[in-house]
Amino acid sequence: MLELGQPMHAYDLATLKGPALVARRARAGEKLVTLDGAERTLDGDTTVIADAARVVGVGGIMGGHETEVRDDTTDLALEAAWFDPSRIRRARRALGLSTEASYRFERGVDRWNAAEAMRRCLEIILLTAGGTIEGSPVDLHPIVANPPRIFLRLARVKQVLGLELGLHEVERCLVAIGATVVAKPDDGRLAVDVPGWRPDLTTEIDLVEEVARMHGYDRVPTELRPFRVGALPDAPAVAVKQRIRNGMVAQGLSEVVSLPFTAADGEASVTLLNPLADTGASLRRRLLPTLVRHAERNWNNHVRDVRLFEVGTVFERGATGKRPVEQLRLGLVVTGAREPGHWTADAVPDVDIWDLKGLAEAAGALAHPGATWHVEGDHFMARVKDGRTVGWAGRLAADTPPWGGALFGVEIDVTDGARALVRVEPLPTTPAVERDLSLVVPEAVASAAAAEVIRRAAGTLLETVRVTAEFRGSALGAGRRSVTFRLTYRAPDRTLRDADVDASETQVLSALERELGLSRRGA
């Protein structure tokens, strides 16, 4: 296991019953005393190793106590296997039993190395303890299998990485991870046999990632490569979050991105079934506690002036049988000097409650435009017209050092603001008419410029215009291309006639000729 990464198991042959060992699903309620002396009840989804009479081991996790090797054992039965990682993971969780073997099987062992592991194990036993091998090892895999062969195109490497890598450099990178590479220069690609100890390499894009890693991420260009934009607009929530980020940065704040895990915060907290740590056993209900910890971390590093914000989700326990309620919020904290100090000025005063009020109003205008702030005691509350509270602003309790300033914070809902941007339109009740318009366009003229002229000249009947094809060839001449636009016409109250669309098309062609010097292809 330690030398080759292949866990194995040895049975006392004299304790096995029947002529064979089999791998099967456990029968519900079957029990097994494992090597650690604990009796475990198995469920029907667990893979077990069994002889003719009973279960003798939990596959890939731990063997059974009855068949373990003892001081008086003289005959061994050795097993080397490959187990499905997901099944091992489920069985390990169900049994609450983590072993060195399960750790490796969960992460994927070399599927094609069991024979070599068996040969090496036999060699070690014969060298250290003597004995003889009875018969030959038996391979129970139902079919002959080999490591996967993946074809990697050099053009794909260039497209993804934006980097022109030669055949020899790509081959060097793949050989370095243990792959066997056969170059096919005529096809501009490589045939790659993936090493068995890398079960994560299954597709071409996995090999591209390995080439980038071995070549060096620091050698990959950082500039944005040319790309084709989509016609589908961003979701309204995305636009709201971007507007908030821009606004908060304009106020002099820096964005942080925090994990949503925290300690339990009351009965309404959403508890995780499989937390990463005790301190993160629940999903957060508020953003400000995490931001306070960020401010304290800055103080620990002797940073006095802190201005941070986060746009993130919070969670509340839903009704019985319902999913948790997820909500988008904006949170911010400020402490320290009101503005950066300068040698030409006296000491800069610290932020106070009035600075907080200004930040709260700016945050409310971005995140929840309909909310108004009201003074309540020593803090502010944001409310909407129906009386609901959607935000809070005030001084925060924190572990402030003696040289630190007061810490203020704001937290406000933004979910309703995202919903307000959604526009709903009824489905059309009349048929559309589509026309394809192919134009000869010089390279210096952008397709977007031609599309804008089409929209202005086509009139109110034009519903959409989009590019569907682009062609370059010697017949068009150097520096020119053919671009095909698809124009969709529709009238909301009637079925269009050919004469209506013909008139609009004539206006479009005239405008294109007049403004951009474009003509229809073949005219």
Side-chain angles (χ1 to χ4, degrees):
M1 179 177 68
L2 298 180
E3 181 181 350
L4 300 178
Q6 171 66 58
M8 294 183 61
H9 192 70
Y11 302 89
D12 185 341
L13 186 61
T15 63
L16 295 177
K17 300 178 182 179
L21 287 175
V22 297
R24 62 171 172 84
R25 301 281 182 85
R27 301 182 182 94
E30 273 190 306
K31 297 182 182 296
L32 172 69
V33 178
T34 49
L35 289 174
D36 58 357
E39 183 180 70
R40 304 183 184 277
T41 301
L42 310 175
D43 60 31
D45 200 38
T46 301
T47 299
V48 297
I49 309 300
D51 59 14
R54 82 282 196 203
V55 175
V56 297
V58 182
I61 300 179
M62 185 177 282
H65 178 73
E66 293 184 17
T67 58
E68 73 172 322
V69 176
R70 298 176 172 84
D71 291 339
D72 59 350
T73 299
T74 57
D75 298 316
L76 301 177
L78 300 178
E79 166 212 331
W82 180 90
F83 294 96
D84 185 329
S86 61
R87 289 196 172 278
I88 296 297
R89 189 176 299 109
R90 285 197 295 268
R92 187 260 300 167
R93 288 179 175 175
L95 296 173
L97 180 61
S98 181
T99 64
E100 292 283 344
S102 69
Y103 181 89
R104 288 163 173 79
F105 281 124
E106 281 187 47
R107 287 155 180 80
V109 302
D110 190 341
R111 186 186 299 214
W112 293 273
N113 200 44
E116 172 61 20
M118 180 67 73
R119 185 202 64 77
R120 177 61 174 151
C121 183
L122 293 172
E123 181 182 52
I124 293 174
I125 292 175
L126 293 176
L127 285 172
T128 57
T132 59
I133 300 174
E134 293 293 327
S136 300
V138 179
D139 186 356
L140 299 180
H141 199 281
I143 58 174
V144 177
N146 298 291
R149 171 166 289 185
I150 306 172
F151 290 95
L152 175 63
R153 297 164 293 168
L154 296 177
R156 180 60 172 160
V157 175
K158 178 181 177 182
Q159 180 187 29
V160 175
L161 303 184
L163 192 63
E164 186 87 47
L165 295 180
L167 179 67
H168 295 296
E169 173 61 13
V170 174
E171 185 176 2
R172 182 195 68 80
C173 294
L174 296 176
V175 170
I177 65 171
T180 301
V181 182
V182 177
K184 297 182 177 293
D186 294 339
D187 298 337
R189 59 178 184 164
L190 302 171
V192 183
D193 290 337
V194 176
W197 63 83
R198 291 297 304 272
D200 56 311
L201 304 181
T202 58
T203 61
E204 184 183 40
I205 195 64
D206 298 328
L207 297 182
V208 175
E209 182 179 3
E210 291 301 304
V211 170
R213 186 172 66 87
M214 300 306 297
H215 182 71
Y217 290 132
D218 57 329
R219 299 169 66 183
V220 176
T222 57
E223 69 268 14
L224 185 64
R225 310 298 294 178
F227 66 96
R228 180 174 295 171
V229 298
L232 187 66
D234 291 334
V238 174
V240 169
K241 287 190 284 188
Q242 190 58 49
R243 188 178 73 238
I244 292 173
R245 291 188 176 104
N246 293 339
M248 291 294 97
V249 170
Q251 292 289 334
L253 278 73
S254 299
E255 184 177 13
V256 297
V257 180
S258 309
L259 292 176
F261 309 121
T262 185
D265 184 16
E267 296 182 356
S269 295
V270 179
T271 304
L272 300 176
L273 296 179
N274 186 28
L276 298 177
D278 293 339
T279 55
S282 299
L283 294 176
R284 63 187 177 189
R285 295 178 59 196
R286 298 176 298 157
L287 297 180
L288 283 178
T290 304
L291 292 172
V292 169
R293 289 196 293 271
H294 285 309
E296 292 173 343
R297 191 173 296 114
N298 276 272
W299 284 331
N300 291 340
N301 292 319
H302 299 281
V303 177
R304 186 177 187 275
D305 302 336
V306 181
R307 301 173 69 88
L308 303 175
F309 79 94
E310 180 173 9
V311 183
T313 49
V314 296
F315 304 84
E316 292 275 357
R317 186 188 299 275
T320 304
K322 300 294 185 180
R323 294 178 181 272
V325 179
E326 182 177 352
Q327 194 171 40
L328 185 66
R329 286 187 185 172
L330 164 64
L332 65 89
V333 292
V334 291
T335 184
R338 179 176 298 164
E339 59 189 29
H342 195 266
W343 63 271
T344 60
D346 296 333
V348 178
D350 284 352
V351 294
D352 56 23
I353 194 69
W354 302 112
D355 297 302
L356 174 70
K357 183 175 183 294
L359 282 174
E361 291 175 346
L366 292 167
H368 217 127
T372 55
W373 291 94
H374 304 269
V375 179
E376 290 195 6
D378 59 351
H379 58 271
F380 302 97
M381 303 295 290
R383 291 193 176 87
V384 290
K385 291 182 178 179
D386 60 5
R388 287 185 299 115
T389 299
V390 296
W392 179 93
R395 183 166 180 172
L396 300 169
D399 187 11
T400 309
W403 45 266
L407 182 66
F408 298 95
V410 179
E411 185 165 344
I412 186 169
D413 297 343
V414 298
T415 306
D416 289 342
R419 290 175 182 164
L421 295 179
V422 177
R423 185 179 65 183
V424 179
E425 296 180 352
L427 292 173
T429 58
T430 56
V433 176
E434 291 184 344
R435 290 283 180 91
D436 285 348
L437 188 62
S438 296
L439 303 174
V440 178
V441 183
E443 294 289 356
V445 178
S447 300
E452 179 60 29
V453 173
I454 292 173
R455 291 189 188 93
R456 286 191 281 103
T460 58
L461 296 180
L462 182 67
E463 188 175 69
T464 61
V465 56
R466 60 189 178 93
V467 176
T468 59
E470 188 177 65
F471 170 76
R472 288 175 173 83
S474 57
L476 296 173
R480 301 202 301 175
R481 69 195 193 278
S482 171
V483 181
T484 301
F485 296 87
R486 177 159 295 171
L487 284 62
T488 302
Y489 293 90
R490 192 193 308 271
D493 55 348
R494 60 189 174 89
T495 300
L496 290 176
R497 300 180 180 274
D498 288 341
D500 299 323
V501 179
D502 291 342
S504 176
E505 190 175 89
T506 301
Q507 294 174 4
V508 167
L509 290 172
S510 177
L512 290 170
E513 173 69 28
R514 182 175 62 256
E515 297 185 29
L516 300 177
L518 306 183
S519 60
R520 172 177 264 167
R521 183 181 175 187

